[in-house]
Amino acid sequence: MTSPPTPTTPTIASAGTEPARGNPAPLHYPMPRQCPYAPPEEVTAVRAGGAVPRVTIWNGVRPWLFTRYEDARVVLSDPRFSADKSRPGYPLSSAVALAETAVTPTLLIMDNPEHDHYRRLVLGEFTVKRAESLRPAVRAVVDGCLDRMLQGPAPADLVTGLALPVALSVICEFLGVPFEDRELFRSLTHTMNAIGGTTETAAAARQELQEYLECLVAVREKHPQQDFISRMAVKHLGTGAMDHERLAAMALLLLTAGHDTTANMISLGVLTLLRHPAHFTALRDGDAPGLLAGTVEEMLRHLTIVQRGIRRIALEDVDVNGHLVRAGEGVIAAVNVANRDPRRFPSGEDFDPAERAHGHLAFGYGPHQCLGQSLARVELQEVYAAVARRIPTLRTAVPDTELRFKEDMAVYGVHELPVTW
Amino acid sequence: MRVSLLPEHCVGAGHCVLSAPEVFDQHEDDGIVLLLDTTPDAHLADAVHEAADLCPARAILVDAPGGTA
Ligand code: SF4
């Protein structure tokens, strides 16, 4: 393999004894951030110290916390770690995460061979070339949303004025889901991802969206159009490779993940560019090849909006670069901290589009790595470029200290971003 | 250098195409990786190694036995 050799992680002899060496106080994970633009200092300190501590999460489960880049890659790609949230002892990120097991499962919680079976049925829709072919349509959506925002009054909220409409339009158009119902999708997704909610409310929201999409699948099967749901219905329902329920669950995953994560990357990314005016100006003026793609890659690495780590459970004993995880134990890959591991990324804590951020874990790693990542890259490139070019005078309309960051959501971002120009 | 694939592992993330478009493509129909060149030129070595390292499915083998070209 081509990976650089990794230093050995200190091994904790018995997985049952705790706390970990050099870490006397038990860590509750996740803890609040000290700075809204950086992961919690305690987690960064764990990475710097090189230990793999056991942490306590909301329901008393005590998974291992992996913070180093090379360790996170093993956790996310070794097939002996399962993503099945219904397994007893799974380190769920919150009560609402359990709702994913209450309704038809999506790819997110499937293991192989089931996962690859369903993923491969839709892969052809998500190639780099397919995403590139959607670029003109994405650009038109971005320009339309920017036109409307700029014609309206300033200050405006960039979240509701740009980030959400762009992300929802693109995914609705791609899937063939009516954009008129976007407020329903947004609010149901919010209920599914608000970590203070209950399993029951999140499951009810998920069930409602699942049923909505099952109806839509049935309609598109009879009257196919030029969209993902129609194409997949025509291709796979007849052969039995997929049924209505599974296709609806696939659409649910793409609709919710596809707009919420992208919208958060748009608003938090624009805020990051405003905080780094030289890079904002460079996007407007610069035409160096790769500048835009490099900026987006670095933004993904630097922000890593999956803020509560990606979690798995060990099916067998696994040696993670010298650290033994026993069968049945939970693990968390703190991708936001691993993505700032200076052993892998020279820019570390900084935002520096000049560094090559390729290989970051913002889309995950291993078989579950984000299916829609090529489309997400195109969207983010188009939005950041259009904002830098069309609104060079853009600035936040409130002091940064008044921004409400999404500590309370599964995916990080800002609740509102008041801007003026 | 010799490149080979384990296409049955591919999850279609497309890093290979982004890293080394001269060597890798994705099948239009099913999205699975395609090898355009089994013995790429030396000037592509870094890009091919990057593709192999970034591939989340470990589906790209460089100078290793056992893959299917
Ligand atoms: S990077 Fe790996 S998983 Fe992704 S398309 Fe290429 S071979 Fe397949």
Side-chain angles (χ1 to χ4, degrees), chain A residues 13-248:
Chain A
S14 161
T17 59
E18 77 279 345
R21 247 186 296 154
N23 180 33
L27 272 183
H28 267 273
Y29 181 89
M31 57 294 280
R33 297 163 183 253
Q34 291 79 10
C35 162
Y37 306 104
E41 283 164 9
E42 293 89 337
V43 188
T44 301
V46 165
R47 188 197 63 213
V52 179
R54 266 193 127 152
V55 295
T56 305
I57 61 171
W58 64 283
N59 58 356
V61 169
R62 310 195 59 247
W64 298 105
L65 181 69
F66 289 94
T67 54
R68 292 159 30 138
Y69 178 81
E70 285 303 332
D71 295 350
R73 288 223 310 190
V74 172
V75 165
L76 297 176
S77 62
D78 192 306
R80 291 170 294 176
F81 288 116
S82 164
D84 179 358
K85 291 181 177 156
S86 67
R87 288 181 182 276
Y90 193 97
L92 294 162
S93 68
S94 65
V96 300
L98 192 57
E100 290 180 49
T101 67
V103 184
T104 315
T106 69
L107 284 180
L108 274 191
I109 64 167
M110 286 180 198
D111 291 333
N112 277 334
E114 197 189 15
H115 169 271
D116 280 8
H117 167 75
Y118 286 109
R119 182 166 172 137
R120 277 161 172 252
L121 294 177
V122 302
L123 265 193
E125 297 279 331
F126 297 97
T127 62
V128 173
K129 278 186 185 152
R130 279 298 283 281
E132 279 304 323
S133 76
L134 294 172
R135 191 181 286 275
V138 170
R139 184 169 297 171
V141 165
V142 171
D143 275 331
C145 292
L146 271 178
D147 287 343
R148 275 187 292 283
M149 192 176 93
L150 293 174
Q151 279 155 17
D157 175 18
L158 189 121
V159 174
T160 49
L162 184 71
L164 278 167
V166 164
L168 277 162
S169 300
V170 170
I171 198 65
C172 286
E173 204 171 305
F174 173 81
L175 292 173
V177 163
F179 183 62
E180 305 83 78
D181 292 335
R182 61 189 176 279
E183 184 46 35
L184 176 73
F185 309 144
R186 196 207 54 77
S187 75
L188 291 175
T189 306
H190 187 273
T191 306
M192 288 179 222
N193 286 345
I195 52 189
T198 65
T199 308
E200 290 70 28
T201 54
R206 192 167 272 275
Q207 185 65 37
E208 185 179 344
L209 190 51
Q210 171 74 19
E211 284 168 16
Y212 174 105
L213 291 165
E214 283 178 23
C215 291
L216 189 67
V217 167
V219 170
R220 292 286 191 265
E221 185 189 16
K222 288 210 186 67
H223 309 286
Q225 301 181 358
Q226 292 299 320
D227 57 56
F228 173 87
I229 292 179
S230 299
R231 283 190 296 271
M232 294 302 104
V234 169
K235 205 168 166 188
H236 299 309
L237 293 181
T239 67
M242 198 152 23
D243 57 18
H244 292 77
E245 196 187 337
R246 292 301 174 122
L247 179 50

Side-chain angles (χ1 to χ4, degrees), chain B residues 5 9-17 26 31 33 51 54-57 59-60:
Chain B
L5 299 177
H9 289 193
C10 174
V11 294
H15 293 284
C16 50
V17 182
Q26 288 168 294
V33 59
L54 296 190
C55 173
I60 298 169

Side-chain angles (χ1 to χ4, degrees), chain A residues 365-382:
Chain A
Y365 189 71
H368 290 277
Q369 197 181 57
C370 177
L371 186 55
Q373 59 183 287
S374 295
L375 181 55
R377 286 191 172 94
V378 167
E379 278 186 69
L380 295 177
Q381 289 166 8
E382 289 299 319

